[in-house]
Amino acid sequence: MSKSTVQDWVSELPLMQQSVLLSAIRGPDGISKCQACRAMIRWFRRCVLVSAFDGKVFNSPCQLGGGSFTGPSCNMQDYDGRFALDWETAMKPKIDAFLKAKDELPHHYLTHFMHAAEVLGYQHPDMRIRNWWFSVYSRICRVLYVVPETEVMMRRRLSDNELDWRATGDETTMYSE
């Protein structure tokens, strides 16, 4: 039996959607380990990868484990020093800080992360996680003043069909020799 670092559901996606997820895994170069995006990236990794140290999937950004690469993004007391009843509440300050610090990030990485959040927001098998990431995708679109794609639009653009992909992009995004 082979092992994979990606969760089983990821390998069932079209290759283009898998590529979008993998493009956001590493995080941006030149950014401090304390930058607001790090908590978001660690939670993102937990939603896509199997933790190497633990050999398991984490369904909460607050759960202990995962080392520094897929470690916790929050604890249940992160929300104004009070105990949060759910991880969504505990993560609210993290997404707020991420969006406030967006100008510190390379635009290229921010768009990779936005599209990866979109894939999670439409495709993640856990509805709670899916809904949370769709709200992140929507908020990133709002702060960038762009209109979110519908699920049908995203699936067409990232369907592994080159004609559909070309039909949804600009000529400057196409490979040329």
Side-chain angles (χ1 to χ4, degrees), residues 2-147:
S2 66
K3 292 190 329 186
S4 176
T5 191
V6 298
Q7 295 178 21
D8 290 342
W9 72 270
V10 174
S11 63
E12 297 171 9
L13 295 174
L15 296 176
M16 288 188 74
Q17 290 181 37
Q18 291 182 48
S19 297
V20 167
L21 292 174
L22 295 176
S23 71
I25 290 288
R26 185 165 177 261
D29 289 331
I31 300 297
S32 161
K33 292 231 182 243
C34 299
Q35 209 275 355
C37 72
R38 294 299 182 189
M40 295 293 294
I41 294 168
R42 282 192 308 277
W43 175 218
F44 171 78
R45 290 174 185 151
R46 283 181 166 216
C47 294
V48 175
L49 301 176
V50 175
S51 172
F53 291 152
D54 308 275
K56 66 180 184 179
V57 171
F58 290 104
N59 292 316
S60 164
C62 304
Q63 186 178 354
L64 295 177
S68 62
F69 195 70
T70 55
S73 295
C74 62
N75 64 57
M76 297 305 273
Q77 294 181 350
D78 272 354
Y79 194 68
D80 295 334
R82 294 176 298 199
F83 184 75
L85 297 177
D86 54 61
W87 60 259
E88 292 94 329
T89 301
M91 282 298 288
K92 182 165 183 346
K94 305 298 182 182
I95 181 62
D96 291 347
F98 171 78
L99 293 173
K100 287 177 185 174
K102 72 180 181 324
D103 292 336
E104 298 171 17
L105 298 173
H107 180 75
H108 187 218
Y109 178 76
L110 184 58
T111 57
H112 277 300
F113 192 81
M114 176 184 72
H115 289 294
E118 177 186 19
V119 171
L120 288 179
Y122 285 130
Q123 301 285 48
H124 197 281
D126 182 308
M127 192 56 70
R128 183 177 180 191
I129 294 170
R130 179 189 297 191
N131 290 339
W132 192 84
W133 280 105
F134 184 79
S135 74
V136 169
Y137 167 64
S138 298
R139 287 189 69 189
I140 296 171
C141 287
R142 280 197 305 276
V143 301
L144 294 178
Y145 300 101
V146 298
V147 177

